[in-house]
Structures are given as structure tokens and as C-alpha cells.
Amino acid sequence: MIELGDVSFVPAGADRPILCDVSLRIAPGERVGIVGPSGAGKSTLGYHLCGAHRLALAGETTGMLRFDGVDGADGAPCGFAGLVGQNPEAQLFCRTVYEELALALRVRGRDEASCAAVADALLDRYAFGAHRDAPVSRLSLGQKQLTAVMSMLAMEPKVLLLDEPTSYLDAAAADRLFDHLGRLCRCHGWIVLVIEHDLARLSGFAERVLSVADGRLVADGPFEARAAHVNPAVAADLPPFAPIDAAGEPAVVFSNLSFRYAKGEPVLRDIDLAVRPGESVALLGANGVGKSTLLHLAKGLVRPDSGAVRLGPGLTPGRDVGLMFQNPEDQIFAHTVEAECGYWLANLGVPREERSRRCGDILANLGLAGMAERAPFSLSFGEKRRLCLAAILVAGPAVLCLDEPTTGLDDANMAHMAGIVRRLAGEGRAILFATHEDAFAAMAATRWVRLENGHVVSDGPNPHLASHDRHA
């Protein structure tokens, strides 16, 4: 049982709460979704519900918290709850996938034989057995997210909080996860709390939904039957794509390209792909197929083993290719939002006053107005994602490489992001983005390119384009 009474939270250094007077009770076996706009306080509420607030948050909590009848002001009892945060890399510690799961099992007092049996059963359930002894460092971010989830499942907590658990997962892995979570609630009485922007998927799992806005619990009840995802039909309200000169010089070309990480199997094999100015190309495919690697090759962060990456005439990777990383916390480093946004401009020698003006404009356009002096790591995950985009767009690169650009974004911000991508394509930028969100790909791409086992297996027009975009 979880009980909160008039719980509020004020972050360190802030003068107002970001969680306000929340009261509720959650019983064993409940499947609970936590929803709301980016920055609404969902993660803060989740940390308090699972008793991790003292570990995860810097600030002051007031009000009553009880876990299984025990006072929880200083946190839940050891072993009561498991947590998978939005950044899976922050909670992976071991060399291999198996060692990561075994560590969680040893915390529960399992012997080595039991560790192996439970870990192998979990790996089989999630079709991940082939990666049992794989180094964690070589996994894709989606595979790391799945590993973090399995490690928490191995601990068998009474309460499990998953913060955007499908943000980096392909559809098959996400389906397996929610099916398994449902069984754990029904058969073992687990409380599962899921913070999720994908309402379509959440609607098939959660029996109760907590809606958060401006730090307040504004609704608490059954999941209502409603349109629960971004409908590709809204693309009709987005700016149209401009015509593309099919005979023009491509902005980026991958020619017979292959790539492998040190001593590993090839990640990409014989890739032939060109992106022209005005095109917006969605890279689709399961976790680990090489989508992020292809973007890194375009930016010049790694070099192909064979074949070549060529940019259009006069373009260079350092000045003309912008890359937004899959994990925003791998990209952010500056002490203020404005400094983060203006870093590329500073490297290009843009005067401070001009940098400040351009940063102010792009931050306002991405819903980050008034945050220039904030510390970037104090932002919500969705706000960090938008800051990373701002830090690229502010320099006006000719080629944009966006890795999972909608992670942590609610439906409204996803649609806004699609509008931005379309406008940039209309200005003649070449855009290549990796995504697991078919709804976003439907709104934001002129072409869909699907990868399997390191190969391009299909490359064609976006099947959801509105009729007025077909010329693109």
C-alpha cells in the first residue's frame, strides 16, 4: 500500500513547489499510469510514490508518506520499490548484460545457480538471450533501457516505477514488457507505476491514470476511451513539404558503406542512401540495427570500415552537419541553458550579443522562454530534449541528424516538433532522423527507410503523406 497526504516538493534553490498538495492511495496489484505535459511534475510524483524522493531529488518534501503502513518521509524500506529512470545509462554498472541482472539478484540474496536460472528466464522472455554476455557498453540505448528494466524485474520489488520505459524500445520489446507487467500485477500483486507519453500503449495497460499539470494532481480515475495518440491525419494542419529537386546534388550520400565497432559484428552493411535538400528521411527499425550509428557517420564522429560518406559541395561535418544525440544527457554540459544553446555559435565566432538574440528566439520557439539562466540538468527530460534541438538549430546547419527527437515529448510537443522539421525541410535543409514513433514519422518524413540486420530493406515515400505533399 502507498499513501500520500498533502505531499509537496520544493527543489533546492527554488521559491515555489513543483509538486503541490498531492493526496492519494494505491493498493497492491494496481496498474497505474502517470500522464501530463512535459515538465508537469510526473517524475517528481513518481519518485515520491516509490519512496525514492530522498535519493533522486534535491529539495524539501512536506506532507505524509507511508509505505505498507510505515512512515516514508525519509524514503521507502530497502527492497520495497524498483525504479527505471529516463536515462538508463545512469543505472547500469556492470560489464555484461548477465552481470547486470545477476547484481540485482544478489541484492535479493540469490545464490549463483538461482541467479543464472532467473536471469536466463528473463532474457528468454524478452528475446534477449543472444546478448547474455554482450558488453553493456556496446548495446544500443534501447537495448540498455531493456537491460535496466530486466535488472529491476529481477529484484522482484513490491512497487515498480518505470519512467518513459518505451522511449527507446522497438514495438516488439514494448509489447513484451507491458504483457509481462500485467501478469506481475494480476498474479503477484505488484504495484506498477508507468510514466508514459504514449497514451495509445498505456491505455492497454493502465487501469488507473493520474493526470498531472503544473505540479498538481488534476485527475485520478479509470483510463478514458479517447484518441490516445497523435493521429497522422493532423499532418493536414502542418506546413506542406516543398518540392524536391530530384536531379539536384544530394546534401549527404552514404555509398556502399559498412561499419563495425571494435572486434564486433558489422553494424551496417553495404548501405547506399542519399538525402537531398528539402528531404526529411525517417530511419526505422528495431533496437540495435544501426540507426544511431548511421547518424554518427554523417556527422563524422566515426569513420566507415569501407565505403564512404560524402557531403554536398562546400559542406563540412563540423560546420554544416548538426547532430542531436539520442540521450540528451550525453549532449548537455554547459552551466546555463543559454550557454548550452549558444555553444556552437561561440565556436563559430558569433559575437555575444548576436548569440544571445538568436538563442532567445530559438528557445522561445521551442517553449523554453524564460529559462536562459536555468541549469540545463534541472530541466525535465522533455525540456532537455528541446534544448538539445535548440543548440543545433541556432547555428543553421544544412544537414540535420536527429536521434529519437521525440523522446520525452508529449503529443502537443511531438506535433510541434513535426512542424519544425517540415519548416526546416521547406527551407532546404536535408533531414535524417531515427525514430520508433510511427506517428511522428508519419507527420515529419517525406521518406521512410527501414533497416534490418544492418541493411536497408526498404526505402520509399512516407505512406501517410497527405495528398498535397505527394509531389515531395
Side-chain angles (χ1 to χ4, degrees), residues 253-268:
V253 179
F254 305 91
S255 299
N256 197 29
L257 181 147
S258 295
F259 177 84
R260 78 176 68 215
Y261 291 102
K263 299 181 180 179
E265 291 295 316
V267 177
L268 296 168

Side-chain angles (χ1 to χ4, degrees), residues 263-283:
K263 299 181 180 179
E265 291 295 316
V267 177
L268 296 168
R269 300 174 175 88
D270 306 321
I271 300 293
D272 288 302
L273 178 66
V275 184
R276 289 178 166 76
E279 281 196 292
S280 178
V281 178
L283 295 175

Side-chain angles (χ1 to χ4, degrees), residues 138-181:
R138 294 185 187 172
L139 301 179
S140 72
L141 194 54
Q143 292 168 333
K144 290 177 180 177
Q145 185 172 48
L146 183 57
T147 300
V149 170
M150 287 190 293
S151 72
M152 287 298 102
L153 293 172
M155 290 182 66
E156 299 182 347
K158 294 182 178 181
V159 176
L160 180 63
L161 171 66
L162 302 176
D163 198 347
E164 300 284 353
T166 64
S167 54
Y168 302 114
L169 297 185
D170 57 55
D175 288 343
R176 292 187 187 99
L177 173 61
F178 279 107
D179 178 69
H180 189 200
L181 293 175

Side-chain angles (χ1 to χ4, degrees), residues 299 316-321 344 348 358 395-398:
K299 178 63 177 173
T316 63
R319 173 60 187 87
D320 299 295
V321 180
W344 197 357
L348 295 174
R358 289 169 65 174

Side-chain angles (χ1 to χ4, degrees), residues 40-238:
K42 301 184 298 297
S43 295
T44 302
L45 175 58
Y47 293 147
H48 283 85
L49 288 172
C50 73
H53 51 288
R54 293 294 191 203
L55 297 173
L57 303 170
E60 181 182 3
T61 295
T62 57
M64 181 273 291
L65 297 92
R66 296 183 70 82
F67 304 103
D68 277 353
V70 177
D71 178 69
D74 291 325
C78 182
F80 178 79
L83 163 66
V84 179
Q86 288 178 306
N87 179 10
E89 293 179 315
Q91 63 184 91
L92 297 175
F93 310 101
C94 299
R95 189 181 67 86
T96 69
V97 171
Y98 172 75
E99 290 169 357
E100 197 69 48
L101 272 61
L103 174 63
L105 288 160
R106 292 188 190 105
V107 169
R108 300 294 290 180
R110 300 267 191 171
D111 59 30
E112 289 304 312
S114 178
C115 284
V118 174
D120 287 340
L122 273 171
L123 291 166
D124 288 345
R125 176 181 286 276
Y126 286 92
F128 212 60
H131 300 281
R132 183 186 192 275
D133 298 312
V136 171
S137 61
R138 294 185 187 172
L139 301 179
S140 72
L141 194 54
Q143 292 168 333
K144 290 177 180 177
Q145 185 172 48
L146 183 57
T147 300
V149 170
M150 287 190 293
S151 72
M152 287 298 102
L153 293 172
M155 290 182 66
E156 299 182 347
K158 294 182 178 181
V159 176
L160 180 63
L161 171 66
L162 302 176
D163 198 347
E164 300 284 353
T166 64
S167 54
Y168 302 114
L169 297 185
D170 57 55
D175 288 343
R176 292 187 187 99
L177 173 61
F178 279 107
D179 178 69
H180 189 200
L181 293 175
R183 292 172 183 269
L184 292 169
C185 293
R186 290 190 303 270
C187 302
H188 300 284
W190 287 29
I191 293 174
V192 176
L193 311 166
V194 179
I195 301 171
E196 183 62 80
H197 285 303
D198 187 345
L199 300 186
R201 187 173 294 283
L202 189 62
S203 67
F205 169 77
E207 60 186 2
R208 178 181 177 185
V209 173
L210 309 177
S211 295
V212 184
D214 296 323
R216 297 186 179 276
L217 184 61
V218 296
D220 178 358
F223 202 105
E224 297 176 357
R226 56 194 171 104
H229 62 285
V230 178
N231 191 319
V234 304
D237 298 325
L238 295 169

